[in-house]
Amino acid sequence: QLYNILKSPDNPRIYLHKMKEVNLETFEPSQDIILCYLKIGSVLFEMKEYENSFKYLRKARDLCQQNYSGEWRILSRCLERLALINIISGKYYDALSELNGALNLQSEKVRDGQTALTFSYIGKVYKYLFDYEKAEENYNQSLEILKLKYKDDNYLIGSQMIELADLFKLKGDLEKALEQCQAALKIFKINFDPADFRIAKCEQEIKEIEE
């Protein structure tokens, strides 16, 4: 019942209220209980309660590894969320460990939008570590998968192009940065209203690069 509540797209604070009514520790490990830990951890993450989020996500990861190692999608998602918290905390090497673990799970099964996102997160970590070559390599891997998986005008492709543009700016390659921003702007204009923040941000980036 709790898991069904957690699946509903409602106010995050309702999730937390329901969470307090149930002690998950009293249940035998099951896929539903692991998903409850994962969902609660994800909600806490969205509410920026990172310390508590980390506890629930770590519990979900440990239970999954101990009891359902074959549930690679659940485990991969746990690892990615834990990695995001480590990135926010500045624990970049811990984040790389989690992300590479998630990537290994995904690459053995499928290369889809989730795999592309994992490559993008890895690229972001390398960017923070000032290893721009590895960052670019992983960003390009992400973009390649997205282009194979989706139509050319999918907004996810545009979002990854913006990540690449930011990286090229850091590297001082303004020509490539401008190229990525212009390509992303075309995609965003197809997908969103003219007033959308992504379009405005992209136009501002182009203006700054051109100046």
Side-chain angles (χ1 to χ4, degrees), residues 57-192:
L57 293 170
R58 184 174 55 192
K59 184 70 174 180
R61 179 199 63 190
D62 293 346
L63 287 175
C64 197
Q65 288 176 330
Q66 294 163 11
N67 300 279
Y68 297 95
S69 57
E71 291 295 330
W72 62 274
R73 289 188 184 276
I74 298 174
L75 182 54
S76 174
R77 195 170 299 175
C78 292
L79 292 171
E80 284 187 351
R81 285 289 186 175
L82 285 167
L84 290 178
I85 296 175
N86 280 324
I87 291 172
I88 291 168
S89 304
K91 299 177 181 178
Y92 300 128
Y93 291 104
D94 288 341
L96 276 180
S97 177
E98 303 284 9
L99 288 169
N100 282 319
L103 188 61
N104 288 336
L105 289 170
Q106 295 164 16
S107 296
E108 291 176 2
K109 308 294 182 181
V110 66
R111 292 170 71 87
D112 58 10
Q114 192 64 33
T115 311
L117 191 59
T118 304
F119 273 117
S120 185
Y121 289 150
I122 292 173
K124 190 183 295 289
V125 174
Y126 278 120
K127 183 180 73 173
Y128 291 149
L129 290 171
F130 305 105
D131 190 336
Y132 295 149
E133 296 307 314
K134 285 188 178 179
E136 184 178 349
E137 178 184 333
N138 282 278
Y139 278 160
N140 281 326
Q141 285 271 18
S142 176
L143 191 57
E144 180 182 332
I145 294 172
L146 290 172
K147 286 182 175 180
L148 288 173
K149 180 70 177 177
Y150 302 108
K151 294 180 180 180
D152 291 342
D153 60 359
N154 188 284
Y155 77 95
L156 292 174
I157 294 175
S159 297
Q160 188 56 53
M161 286 176 171
I162 291 297
E163 293 285 356
L164 268 168
D166 181 61
L167 179 63
F168 286 134
K169 282 176 63 179
L170 289 173
K171 293 176 69 174
D173 193 335
L174 297 183
E175 184 177 344
K176 285 187 177 180
L178 181 59
E179 179 184 315
Q180 294 293 327
C181 279
Q182 289 172 336
L185 181 59
K186 290 179 181 178
I187 293 174
F188 290 155
K189 284 185 174 180
I190 293 171
N191 286 273
F192 305 111

